[in-house]
Amino acid sequence: MVTSKRKALTEATGITADMVMELGKFYSAQEIRSLQTGLTTAARELRALTHTNSLLGRLGANLTREQHDLLRDAAALLDSVKHSVEHAKERKDRAEKAAAKRRAERDRQAARLIAQAFPLPVDTFEGQIELLKLVLVAHTVAIPPLFRDQGRLHQRLREYMQHNNRLIGLTQAQWRASNVSSERLDLLGAFQEFLTWVDSESPEARLQVLQEQLASNRDKVLADPASVETIRLWSEALTPPAKAGGQA
C-alpha cells in the first residue's frame, strides 16, 4: 500500500505531453527545451543530496533516511514531468521544422511568381519611369513595408534624383541608377512579402489580389498632382544624354 502510494506521488499523471503542448503553444521548441533542461538539473541536484561524493551530498548526509526518500521521490516526480515535456518538445520541434519548410516553399513560390509577373527592366529610360509609376501605385496598396513609407514617399523619391556630392566617386548618372536599382529591389521584396503575408491564402491567390489592387489604383494615383510632379522630376533627371542633346 505504501509502495503504491509512493509510486502515485512520483508519477505526474496530470501532466501529459498534450497538456504541455497546449500550455506551450506560444513558446518555441527551444524554450520548451530550456524547461526540460531545468527539470533535469533540478532532479539531479535533489539526487545529489542523497549521495556523499560531492559537497551537496555531504550536506545531505545530515538528513534523515526518510528525508532522503523524500528527495528521491521528488526527483522521480520531476523526471516524470520532464518525460512529458521532452515528448512535447520533440513534437514542437517537428512542427516548427515542418512550418519552416512550408514557409521556405512559399517564399520560393512567391519569388518565382513575382519574377514572372514583374520583370521590371530598368536599363532604359522608359523602364525607369515605368518603375517609378509602379512604386507610386504600390505605396497605396496595403503592403506593410511600403505602406509605412507612404507619408514621405514623394520627398524621398525626389531626393533620389539629386546628386549627393558626399558620395565621392559617383557621377550623377551612377547615383541615380543606384537609387533606381534600390527601388526595384525594395519593390520586388515587398511584393514577395505580400504574397506570403496570409498563410490561409496561396501565393497565386495573393498575386491576383495584388495585381487587381495595383490596376484599380493606378489611374487615380498617377493623376495626383504630387505624382505628376515626381514623375516630371524623374523624367528630367533620367533623360538620356542623346535625347537631351537632340532637344538642345
Side-chain angles (χ1 to χ4, degrees):
M1 181 69 123
V2 175
T3 302
S4 177
K5 183 178 181 180
R6 284 188 62 188
K7 184 177 181 180
L9 288 173
T10 59
E11 292 183 358
T13 55
I15 299 178
T16 64
D18 287 339
M19 173 185 285
V20 177
M21 286 291 289
E22 176 61 26
L23 294 175
K25 61 184 177 182
F26 298 120
Y27 295 84
S28 67
Q30 181 58 46
E31 289 171 311
I32 297 177
R33 184 178 291 107
S34 296
L35 175 60
Q36 176 189 339
T37 300
L39 290 168
T40 299
T41 301
R44 183 171 58 246
E45 294 294 293
L46 289 175
R47 288 194 174 91
L49 280 164
T50 67
H51 298 86
T52 58
N53 59 348
S54 67
L55 178 58
L56 193 58
R58 290 191 174 193
L59 288 173
N62 295 283
L63 299 174
T64 66
R65 180 175 179 178
E66 289 76 12
Q67 288 171 326
H68 278 194
D69 289 341
L70 183 61
L71 289 170
R72 294 189 185 96
D73 288 347
L77 178 59
L78 290 178
D79 284 341
S80 179
V81 174
K82 183 190 72 173
H83 181 73
S84 294
V85 170
E86 182 178 8
H87 279 279
K89 178 259 299 180
E90 291 171 352
R91 287 165 56 180
K92 188 81 168 184
D93 189 52
R94 288 194 296 270
E96 287 179 353
K97 288 178 179 178
K101 185 176 181 180
R102 289 194 298 272
R103 284 194 300 271
E105 177 55 34
R106 283 174 62 84
D107 287 343
R108 285 192 293 270
Q109 188 177 8
R112 183 171 62 251
L113 290 171
I114 291 300
Q116 293 171 350
F118 301 97
L120 304 184
V122 291
D123 53 348
T124 65
F125 170 77
E126 291 75 14
Q128 293 169 341
I129 296 302
E130 189 56 38
L131 171 69
L132 169 63
K133 292 178 180 179
L134 185 57
V135 168
L136 292 172
V137 176
H139 276 74
T140 65
V141 178
I143 304 174
L146 298 183
F147 204 69
R148 288 191 294 265
D149 186 48
Q150 190 174 15
R152 59 180 302 273
L153 173 64
H154 290 285
Q155 177 186 348
R156 177 174 61 79
L157 290 173
R158 293 172 189 181
E159 289 174 350
Y160 276 173
M161 291 301 104
Q162 298 173 1
H163 182 231
N164 191 333
N165 292 322
R166 291 174 297 177
L167 295 176
I168 300 173
L170 289 182
T171 64
Q172 283 188 343
Q174 290 171 334
W175 165 249
R176 291 164 181 166
S178 173
N179 283 289
V180 168
S181 296
S182 178
E183 281 298 311
R184 179 182 183 276
L185 290 175
D186 289 346
L187 189 63
L188 292 175
F191 282 173
Q192 183 175 333
E193 183 174 339
F194 185 87
L195 265 59
T196 59
W197 190 257
V198 182
D199 289 340
S200 60
E201 297 180 23
S202 69
E204 291 91 343
R206 295 290 291 170
L207 175 60
Q208 183 175 351
V209 171
L210 174 62
Q211 290 174 318
E212 289 173 352
Q213 291 189 18
L214 291 172
S216 64
N217 290 347
R218 183 179 176 89
D219 291 344
K220 179 181 179 180
V221 171
L222 297 184
D224 182 80
S227 297
V228 172
E229 178 63 11
T230 298
I231 293 171
R232 183 187 70 79
L233 292 173
W234 268 51
S235 297
E236 290 180 355
L238 295 171
T239 299
K243 183 176 179 180
Q247 290 177 339

